[in-house]
Amino acid sequence: MKYGRTYNFSAGPAMMPEPVLEEIAAEVMNYRGSGMSVMEMSHRSKVFQQIADEAEADLRTLMGIPDNYKVLFVQGGGTLQFAMVPMNLMKNGVACYVETGAWSKKAIAEAKKYGEVKIVASSKDGNFSYIPDCSDLDIPAEADYVYICENETINGTTFFQTPDTKGKPLVSDQSSMFLSRPCDVTKYGLIWAGVQKNVGPAGMAVVIIREDLLRDDLPTTVPTYLSYKTHADAGSMYNTPNCWDIYCCGKVFKYLLANSGLEAVDKRNREKAAILYDFLDESALFSGTVRKEDRSLMNVPFVTPSKEQDADVVAATKAAGFDNLKGHRSVGGLRASIYNAMPQEGVEALVTFLKEYEKAHC
């Protein structure tokens, strides 16, 4: 690590690749001879239009996004998307949700404001420590879509297989696993992701939506800005977008393409996660909280035998130069978020520290 940077295990905003940060720093005062920063330039300028066009094109290449899907850059984050999804997709007023943790619960609560929500599978009975079987869901004919949080940031679970939606559009919140592995976009009707985990600064969501789900017949009560079609028709330029975020995310897309794409990313992420999970499986003091086959490669929650010792470990890691290892306030414990930009040596350093802590306290 350079510049005295810390290993930041935050669930988000999270680490960005150092080469990307260096490139951004070099351009922050004068973007490629334009005489101004991207933060200063008009979103209607040819210079910025090229930035936005390249960001979309590079993302399409990374994910293999088909031509019949629109890519949108929408201000706000997950909390806004919890509302935009049902606002735009509930035609019959019925939607199916899979309940797998804190963020799917929030999405469910928001969707109930706009129609009937059927919870077709849940892992609540196991304190959201696993992904429920979604191979034969009871989906009513009138359902408009099936919604999943594909990676639960707080609870540390992930889908490794998409549900059988019985032909209904699959909607996925991919925020905390976006671009962490290859993705067959054709399996989804809509993918959205807050960018502050794996892609860029907070303040924007990427939405990938199949064109047939864009609607002209939304209720007049839906604000203009909250229509996906508004953004699709305007090329994400209906109003001043989050220009800085689009620019930063575009840099990350190029970085991932230059480093062999999502297959290589997936390989690195699996290797990193195995280092930490193998330690947890062998430890006499620390233990993971998620069923092995459903463990997230991005967010690793773990605990000691007591809340008091959890707090002591958090304090000790902070003093040792590791940041943001405290578990979410709703579940406690500890959590290491090891997104794409977390280097393997960061995970190795954390495991070395935890081993030393265990020797001193067991």
Side-chain angles (χ1 to χ4, degrees):
M1 301 290 284
K2 294 176 282 187
Y3 315 114
R5 286 168 55 76
T6 186
Y7 290 122
N8 177 14
F9 292 92
S10 172
M15 295 180 71
M16 290 179 62
E18 286 187 2
V20 170
L21 293 177
E22 290 170 342
E23 190 171 341
I24 290 170
E27 294 177 344
V28 73
M29 292 295 292
N30 184 352
Y31 175 75
R32 299 186 181 180
S34 66
M36 65 185 79
S37 172
V38 173
M39 287 186 279
E40 301 170 298
M41 65 178 55
S42 169
H43 64 294
R44 303 296 182 191
S45 67
K46 290 182 179 180
V47 177
F48 184 74
Q49 187 64 58
Q50 182 178 4
I51 291 171
D53 289 346
E54 287 186 9
E56 178 179 339
D58 288 340
L59 181 59
R60 284 185 177 276
T61 300
L62 260 180
M63 296 185 71
I65 300 173
D67 291 341
N68 65 323
Y69 285 74
K70 294 290 187 181
V71 174
L72 314 177
F73 300 120
V74 183
Q75 292 184 33
T79 302
L80 181 61
Q81 291 306 311
F82 294 155
M84 284 187 74
V85 167
M87 277 184 175
N88 283 265
L89 300 190
M90 272 192 178
K91 297 180 84 171
N92 299 320
V94 179
C96 297
Y97 279 65
V98 179
E99 183 185 42
T100 50
W103 294 111
S104 53
K105 286 173 64 179
K106 285 181 180 290
I108 289 166
E110 195 71 11
K112 286 180 178 178
K113 298 177 181 179
Y114 304 100
E116 181 182 357
V117 172
K118 293 186 178 294
I119 299 176
V120 291
S122 176
S123 54
K124 185 177 181 179
D125 62 346
N127 199 27
F128 302 119
S129 61
Y130 70 98
I131 295 294
D133 181 6
C134 294
S135 62
D136 188 22
L137 300 175
D138 183 14
I139 300 172
E142 66 272 21
D144 292 307
Y145 61 89
V146 178
Y147 182 105
I148 62 172
C149 178
E150 201 157 345
N151 188 90
E152 285 280 3
T153 319
I154 292 174
N155 302 90
T157 57
T158 198
F159 284 78
F160 286 105
Q161 292 183 333
T162 53
D164 180 356
T165 64
K166 309 293 178 63
K168 302 297 182 180
L170 176 62
V171 177
S172 176
D173 167 8
Q174 287 194 358
S175 295
S176 54
M177 46 80 71
F178 190 55
L179 301 186
S180 67
R181 65 192 192 205
C183 174
D184 182 355
V185 176
T186 63
K187 291 183 177 181
Y188 304 81
L190 187 154
I191 295 167
W192 69 264
V195 301
Q196 71 273 18
K197 315 287 190 179
N198 252 339
V199 188
M204 189 179 78
V206 174
V207 177
I208 302 167
I209 182 170
R210 206 171 62 214
E211 288 180 343
D212 64 289
L213 298 178
L214 299 170
R215 294 174 57 191
D216 286 311
D217 62 341
L218 289 178
T220 57
T221 53
V222 175
T224 303
Y225 187 82
L226 300 188
S227 162
Y228 288 129
K229 194 170 189 301
T230 295
H231 298 278
D233 289 348
S236 297
M237 298 285 179
Y238 174 75
N239 65 335
T240 306
N242 190 329
C243 297
W244 182 251
D245 230 329
I246 294 171
Y247 162 74
C248 292
C249 291
K251 293 286 190 188
V252 173
F253 301 157
K254 287 186 183 298
Y255 172 81
L256 294 176
L257 284 171
N259 285 271
S260 302
L262 299 187
E263 289 80 6
V265 169
D266 184 38
K267 182 176 183 293
R268 290 193 295 270
N269 285 332
R270 290 178 183 274
E271 290 171 351
K272 279 192 307 184
I275 293 168
L276 181 51
Y277 281 124
D278 287 350
F279 162 71
L280 293 174
D281 289 341
E282 297 170 359
S283 174
L285 180 63
F286 300 98
S287 57
T289 61
V290 174
R291 187 170 68 178
K292 287 186 178 182
E293 56 264 41
D294 300 322
R295 287 170 165 175
S296 169
L297 303 181
M298 299 285 98
N299 311 102
V300 183
F302 57 103
V303 295
T304 69
S306 71
K307 292 181 180 180
E308 293 75 18
Q309 190 150 42
D310 289 345
D312 185 65
V313 175
V314 170
T317 56
K318 181 74 173 179
F322 303 101
D323 207 10
N324 293 305
L325 278 156
K326 184 178 180 180
H328 191 270
R329 61 185 179 276
S330 65
V331 297
L334 299 103
R335 175 180 54 176
S337 292
I338 50 176
Y339 298 121
N340 289 353
M342 172 61 70
Q344 181 170 317
E345 56 263 31
V347 179
E348 291 171 342
L350 174 62
V351 168
T352 296
F353 174 84
L354 294 176
K355 286 180 177 178
E356 292 172 353
Y357 182 95
E358 182 174 328
K359 287 180 182 178
H361 294 80
C362 284

